Amino acid sequence: PTAVALTQVAANCGANNGIINVGAVTGGVAAFQYSINAGSTYQASTSFTSLSAGIYTVTVKDANNCTTTNTITVTSSGAPAVNLTAQTNVSCNGDTNGSDTFSASGGGGTYTYTLNTGSSNVTGVFTNLAFGSYTVTVADQFACTATQTVSITQPTALSGTIISQTNPLCNGGNT
């Protein structure tokens, strides 16, 4: 063979799930065999699976034991990152008017944000939150995830003490 065409599928989230597919082989005598370990072992399948991101050299051997090689890089989609971009803490003790806004970057495609309360959306905005700790998980289209934990605070409860009292002198009176 004189040439071999290769394509790759990225390794998602940095995992060992990349793929190399062998396409058309130019020249040579069929049947072809394929190797990605410098010819130590060959296979009849045109796909190499469970690959991590990296550079691979594919060797093609024909029926006459003639070989050709081609190199391809299996890329990685990487995992997303999530950041808190805005927060409103509870305004009065016991209220549920807090909010968090998150944004994601990296990874691939669209993002889904899920709060540990079970609430989920694609905007990253969560409202009507009470005092407490919240963990958001962002997932990209490849199901790669990242998490961040934040806390909604509240002011201390108001309390008061009566320091002076004057009882009315007559029923219905005010002095």
Side-chain angles (χ1 to χ4, degrees), residues 19-22 34 43-49 51:
I19 300 171
I20 294 174
N21 292 307
V22 179
Y34 311 94
Q43 65 183 39
S45 172
T46 58
S47 291
F48 297 94
T49 61
L51 302 175

Side-chain angles (χ1 to χ4, degrees), residues 40-60:
S40 294
T41 59
Y42 284 90
Q43 65 183 39
S45 172
T46 58
S47 291
F48 297 94
T49 61
S50 303
L51 302 175
S52 61
I55 300 171
Y56 294 86
T57 299
V58 175
T59 303
V60 178

Side-chain angles (χ1 to χ4, degrees), residues 70-92:
N70 193 359
T71 301
I72 190 167
T73 300
V74 173
T75 59
S76 176
S77 67
V82 61
N83 294 301
L84 177 68
T85 56
Q87 183 174 57
T88 302
N89 290 310
V90 171
S91 59
C92 295

